[in-house]
Amino acid sequence: MKPSLALLALSLSVLAATAPARAAEKPIRIILVGDSTMASNSGYGDALCRYVAPGNACVNLARGGRSSGSFRAEKRWDEVQALLRDGAAYRSTVVLIQFGHNDQPGKPGRSTDLVTEFPVNMARYASEAKALGAVPVLVTPLTRRSFRGRWLRDDLAPWAAATRRVAHEHKVALIELNALSAQAVQAMGSAEADTLAQEPRPPEGAPKNRFDHTHLGPKGAALFAGIVVGELRRAMPALAGALSQQPAATLDPARQAAPSDGWGNAQSGAQGGAAATDSQVFTVSNRAELLRALSSGAGARIVKVAGTIDMSEGRPFASSADQAARGAVKVGSRTTLIGAGPSAGFIHAHVQVSDARQVIIRNLHFRNPCDVGPVWDPKDGSKGNWNSQFDALTVSGSTSVWIDHNSFTDAPVTDDLLAVENGMRKQCHDGALDISRGSDLVTVSYNHFALHEKNMLIGAGDRATGDDGKLSVTISNNWFENVASRSPRVRFGKVHVFNNYHSGDRAHAAYPHEYAIGVGKQARIISHNNVFDIAGASSCKDIAKTPDSDPAARAFRDSGSLLNGQPLPPCAQDAEPGWTVPYIFTALPATRVKEHVQANAGAGRL
C-alpha cells in the first residue's frame, strides 16, 4: 500500500521541524491515544513503544473500553493536552489516535453516531493536537478477527472509512491499520488468527476464558506494532532515527543498558556487563557457582541466577560475623546480575556493590536479611533501640548503577513476629536498598518494596559532607507497599522521584506508615506525578517529613502528585531545589500510575 498524501505531508512537516541545528539535537516523543486494541495489556501500544530508540520517548495513554466520545468525557484527553503543553524538550511530538471499536452501536455510554459524532470527535482530536504544536496521526481501527467460513468479517470498515475521510478533509496523516491488519488476518485464516488473542481459545467443552477476536496477546501485539512502525518508518523518514528496526524486547534483558530517563544513563550510561563475551556469561544456581562467577576476571560479565540461592547453604549463621562472611555477595564493576526466571533470587544474602562502576541488578527476589545478632543501643533515641547491620542491597562508593525490576520484602520474617526485649522489638532488619558513600548516577526503577520498616537511605549520615555534589539518583515507577518509612530518606542528594506508587496504612499491624520521603540534610528532591494511597494520611507532613530539626537547606518540590485521590497538599519543605532534571523523561499522569506500576513493578515482570 502506498503512503497517503497526508503521511507525505507529515513527513515534510517533521523534516521542517528538524531544520535548526539546535532543534535537531532534541528527541522525538510519540503519544498513543485510543482504545483497548492499543492499550497496555490488551493491545499493541506497549509493543510499539519498544521500537522507540533510547533517548526518545513513548507514552501509551490508550485505555480499554473507551470510544472517541468517552475518552474525552472522562477527561483523559486533558491528560494528553497537559503533556503536549509541556513539550519544549522535544523536537516533535507525534500523537497516534485510534478509535472505533467502542464507538459502534450497542455500547451504552460509549457508542457514537457514525455520521454526526465520530468524525467530529476525530477531527477535534487532530485539530487540538495541532494547536498545541503536535503532529496528529489518525489510525484506522485494528480489524476484529471474526470469520464467516473462510472469510474475515471486517465490521469496522465503516469507522475506518470515516477516519480516512477526516484525515483527507483536514489534511491529517493517516495509517491504514484497518486495511493492513485485515489483509494480514485474512492471509492467516481463522485458526492461526486465534493465536493472536489475549488468551487462547478454550477447548470444546472447557470453561470459558477471556478469549475474544478483538484483544491482543503478545503475539498479536508484536505483529500489529510491527505493521504500524513499518508504516511510520517508511512514510515518515524524519522519524526513522527515533524508531529502531527491532523492538527492545527482542534484546536479551541481560544485555540491556539503563534507560535514558534516569540518572543511571545521564552521562556515561549504566551498561553493566552488556559487552561480556560468551565465555563471561554464567548461569549459577548455588552459592559456590555464584561467588566463582562474580570473581571471574576483570572484564565485563553477566551472571544469571537460576532459582533461589540460599547463602547460608542450610547452615544457620552462628553470629553476625559469620553472617557477614558467608552471606556477602560482592558485585564488581562491569557486571550484570540478573534473575534467569520469574522466581530467581536470594535468601540470607546481603548484596554489596562497593567502589564499582557500571553495575546492573535486575529481576531478582530479595528476602531482606535478618541479622542473627542485633545490638542494643540505649542511646539510640529516647528509649534506646536495636540495630542491625545487613541490607538486602547496598550501593556504596559506586557510579553508573541500575537497579531494576527487583522485589524486596521481610516476609516471611515480618516485624510483628520478632521478640520484644528492653521494651522494643528486637529489630533484625536493616535497609532494603541503601545508596551511600558518594555513589552517583543511579537509577532505581520498577522495583517492588513490601513489608519493611526503614526501606531506603540515600546518604548515610549528616556528617558525610563528601556526598554533596554526588548521590544523583532517579527513583521511578516503583511500588512501595506497606513500607513504614524511607521511600527514600535523602541527605545531600539530587534525587528525582516520579511515577512511584505508595500504598499503606498508618494503622498497619506490622508496618504502620510513618512517612514516605525523608527530606534530610541538604536534600534536593524533585517530585513528579507520584501517588500516595495511605489510609489515615491527610497532609503533606504525612508524606514528606524532615526527620530532624537541622535547619540546613533542604527542598522537596512536587508537581502533579496525589494523596488518596486528591492533589498532594502544599509541603513545608517546598523550596527551589537548585537544579533541574538533566535528562528527557515523560511522567505518566498520576491517574495512570497505580495501574501501570502494579502491572509492571517487581521481579518476574521483565
Side-chain angles (χ1 to χ4, degrees):
M1 180 176 293
K2 295 182 179 179
S4 68
L5 291 176
L7 271 176
L8 293 177
L10 172 62
S11 177
L12 292 174
S13 70
V14 175
L15 281 171
T18 67
R22 290 184 63 187
E25 298 172 359
K26 294 182 178 182
I28 282 175
R29 177 173 58 173
I30 296 175
I31 298 176
L32 309 181
V33 175
D35 56 31
S36 56
T37 62
M38 185 186 266
S40 298
N41 304 317
S42 62
Y44 65 83
D46 288 358
L48 185 153
C49 284
R50 287 194 283 271
Y51 281 89
V52 174
N56 299 282
C58 184
V59 186
N60 187 3
L61 295 183
R63 294 285 286 181
R66 274 60 180 185
S67 69
S68 66
S70 66
F71 190 89
R72 182 185 292 275
E74 294 177 7
K75 300 189 181 301
R76 301 195 179 279
W77 182 245
D78 292 353
E79 297 173 348
V80 179
Q81 291 178 301
L83 288 179
L84 297 182
R85 292 187 186 99
D86 188 25
Y90 299 95
R91 173 166 94 246
S92 180
T93 295
V94 177
V95 185
L96 302 185
I97 306 167
Q98 176 204 283
F99 289 105
H101 294 83
N102 297 294
D103 288 86
Q104 291 181 302
K107 300 188 177 182
R110 295 179 289 172
S111 59
T112 63
D113 184 84
L114 181 59
V115 175
T116 63
E117 293 179 304
F118 178 73
V120 173
N121 292 342
M122 297 298 282
R124 187 178 173 193
Y125 284 129
S127 64
E128 290 175 355
K130 280 184 180 179
L132 290 171
V135 181
V137 180
L138 299 185
V139 183
T140 58
L142 179 73
T143 188
R144 289 195 173 91
R145 303 177 303 281
S146 301
F147 280 76
R148 286 180 176 171
R150 294 170 46 208
W151 303 105
L152 180 71
R153 182 169 62 91
D154 186 8
D155 63 350
L156 284 157
W159 279 264
T163 304
R164 196 177 301 119
R165 285 193 296 272
V166 170
H168 176 73
E169 292 170 4
H170 295 269
K171 296 180 173 58
V172 176
L174 178 75
I175 291 179
E176 284 279 13
L177 181 58
N178 181 261
L180 292 170
S181 59
Q183 180 181 351
V185 170
Q186 178 64 65
M188 289 180 181
S190 177
E192 186 178 353
D194 284 351
T195 67
L196 306 180
Q198 189 173 20
E199 291 194 10
R201 181 191 287 273
E204 196 69 33
K208 292 183 178 180
N209 60 13
R210 295 170 62 194
F211 173 85
D212 61 40
H213 294 108
T214 300
H215 301 101
L216 303 175
K219 182 177 178 180
L223 172 66
F224 298 120
I227 288 174
V228 174
V229 169
E231 287 297 289
L232 287 171
R233 285 182 58 86
R234 182 171 61 82
M236 299 170 61
L239 278 184
L243 294 170
S244 301
Q245 296 279 1
Q246 296 292 327
T250 63
L251 295 175
D252 180 353
R255 294 191 182 274
Q256 290 178 346
S260 56
D261 60 350
W263 276 112
N265 207 1
Q267 294 184 19
S268 58
Q271 304 288 325
T277 62
D278 289 345
S279 65
Q280 287 292 99
V281 178
F282 308 90
T283 299
V284 300
S285 59
N286 58 52
R287 180 179 183 273
E289 292 175 347
L290 172 68
L291 299 183
R292 188 161 51 245
L294 288 172
S295 59
S296 61
R301 68 176 65 83
I302 295 171
V303 180
K304 300 181 179 182
V305 176
T308 300
I309 295 180
D310 179 356
M311 292 301 289
S312 77
E313 299 180 299
R315 294 182 292 116
F317 298 122
S319 63
S320 293
D322 181 35
Q323 186 172 1
R326 291 200 289 131
V329 179
K330 298 181 179 180
V331 182
S333 296
R334 300 182 66 197
T335 299
T336 293
L337 179 65
I338 186 169
S343 61
F346 298 105
I347 59 175
H348 301 126
H350 47 281
V351 178
Q352 303 170 6
V353 181
S354 182
D355 298 315
R357 304 291 181 270
Q358 299 290 347
V359 176
I360 294 174
I361 297 179
R362 306 185 76 192
N363 199 41
L364 291 164
H365 291 270
F366 291 89
R367 185 186 299 177
N368 298 323
C370 180
D371 190 337
V372 299
V375 176
W376 174 254
D377 182 356
K379 297 181 180 180
D380 185 353
S382 60
K383 299 180 180 179
N385 219 329
W386 290 96
N387 290 306
S388 302
Q389 62 175 302
F390 303 113
D391 303 324
L393 174 57
T394 302
V395 179
S396 173
S398 298
T399 301
S400 296
V401 179
W402 183 27
I403 311 298
D404 176 68
H405 276 95
N406 303 290
S407 294
F408 300 78
T409 183
D410 289 355
V413 186
T414 51
D415 285 359
D416 54 323
L417 302 178
L418 302 178
V420 175
E421 292 187 27
N422 298 323
M424 303 285 288
R425 291 203 179 274
K426 195 172 182 179
Q427 180 58 264
C428 68
H429 301 111
D430 196 13
L433 167 61
D434 283 3
I435 302 168
S436 63
R437 255 189 72 236
S439 292
D440 206 13
L441 305 179
V442 179
T443 294
V444 180
S445 59
Y446 288 99
N447 300 284
H448 183 194
F449 299 91
L451 297 173
H452 192 67
E453 184 183 358
K454 299 174 181 178
N455 195 69
M456 186 191 310
L457 282 179
I458 299 176
D462 288 353
R463 296 181 180 178
T465 56
D467 286 343
D468 196 11
K470 299 182 180 179
L471 296 178
S472 303
V473 181
T474 300
I475 312 289
S476 68
N477 297 285
N478 301 282
W479 182 7
F480 299 94
E481 181 184 19
N482 292 318
V483 171
S485 62
R486 301 184 182 179
S487 300
R489 187 205 196 283
V490 181
R491 296 177 176 94
F492 297 105
K494 292 183 291 186
V495 177
H496 182 206
V497 293
F498 74 92
N499 282 166
N500 299 288
Y501 178 58
H502 300 249
S503 58
D505 189 336
R506 293 179 68 80
H508 191 275
Y511 299 97
H513 190 271
E514 298 177 43
Y515 67 89
I517 299 173
V519 189
K521 184 174 183 178
Q522 295 185 30
R524 291 163 288 172
I525 304 169
I526 296 175
S527 166
H528 291 104
N529 297 17
N530 298 286
V531 173
F532 304 91
D533 285 341
I534 309 296
S538 59
S539 67
C540 188
K541 69 180 181 180
D542 297 326
I543 300 304
K545 177 182 177 182
T546 298
D548 51 50
S549 59
D550 187 340
R554 66 190 83 223
F556 172 73
R557 174 147 293 182
D558 177 77
S559 64
S561 293
L562 299 177
L563 172 58
N564 295 330
Q566 299 299 317
L568 183 68
C571 299
Q573 306 89 345
D574 183 32
E576 175 55 52
W579 66 285
T580 57
V581 177
Y583 45 81
I584 299 298
F585 74 100
T586 299
L588 282 174
T591 53
R592 300 291 304 277
V593 168
K594 176 181 178 180
E595 176 189 39
H596 175 74
V597 170
Q598 287 187 326
N600 293 285
R605 298 185 179 233
L606 278 181

